[in-house]
Amino acid sequence: MAPDVMGADELSSPGVVRVDDVSFYPAILEDFEGGRIAVKNAEFAGTPWSLDATSGGADGSSTCLKSPTLFGSNASSKFKITVDVPSRGSDLAVEYRSKVWMPEDKFVVKINGNTVALVSSPTSGWESIERGLPQGTSTVEFEYATVTGGKGSVWLDNIRITPRW
């Protein structure tokens, strides 16, 4: 069963708060605690990822997001977040754990369709990826993909998007 994803507010842009015609870009933290995905404008493509409360999250938290089991070659599943980014940009940080192994499977992070990180081997624990987001609307995509029928997994936790001021 797919995790509960809160929908976007029709009157606001992704991740922007507007009060009296003033825009405010708050920092976003998605830590998957509370049994739901709370960040606005999050979506899945392909088989949905699931909340995992049994593996233990980063920094001792109890819940993280886990990639689905995929079957066959060239299968893919994505978790995407779309946000509005202020004129000075924002910083993305995410913690992940990997049990992927090329050439069987891989974990890819993309920003606006451009690959910014490729993980092709298992990690011994939680690691982090930090990248900048350009101004405007940005889509961050986390993809687990099989190449030749891999049986790995990826876990995500503590996704942070912090505006630069």
Side-chain angles (χ1 to χ4, degrees):
M1 183 169 136
D4 184 14
V5 178
M6 295 173 65
D9 180 346
E10 295 173 7
L11 300 177
S12 67
S13 296
V16 179
V17 176
R18 288 189 170 75
V19 178
D20 295 332
D21 293 326
V22 175
S23 296
F24 173 67
Y25 298 82
I28 295 170
L29 170 62
E30 179 56 77
D31 60 5
F32 308 106
E33 300 302 317
R36 65 185 307 140
I37 297 170
V39 68
K40 289 185 178 184
N41 298 313
E43 64 180 310
F44 297 98
T47 305
W49 294 44
S50 61
L51 293 171
D52 182 354
T54 61
S55 298
D59 299 328
S61 65
S62 61
T63 307
C64 54
L65 191 66
K66 182 182 180 196
S67 63
T69 301
L70 300 176
F71 300 99
S73 298
N74 300 313
S76 171
S77 178
K78 301 173 185 175
F79 173 62
K80 301 192 271 186
I81 301 172
T82 301
V83 295
D84 273 348
V85 177
S87 61
R88 292 188 180 176
S90 289
D91 294 310
L92 164 71
V94 60
E95 294 179 83
Y96 72 95
R97 201 172 80 213
S98 163
K99 287 194 177 180
V100 301
W101 197 273
M102 284 291 278
E104 288 86 16
D105 48 9
K106 61 185 176 182
F107 170 52
V108 182
V109 179
K110 295 180 182 178
I111 297 173
N112 298 330
N114 299 309
T115 299
V116 297
L118 172 65
V119 177
S120 58
S121 60
T123 60
S124 60
W126 288 94
E127 295 192 12
S128 61
I129 295 171
E130 297 179 9
R131 299 291 187 271
L133 297 177
Q135 74 176 21
T137 301
S138 286
T139 299
V140 180
E141 187 176 289
F142 304 97
E143 178 183 21
Y144 168 68
T146 64
V147 179
T148 61
K151 296 177 183 167
S153 294
V154 174
W155 292 262
L156 301 177
D157 205 0
N158 299 327
I159 299 171
R160 293 178 190 85
I161 299 174
T162 308
R164 294 183 197 134
W165 299 111

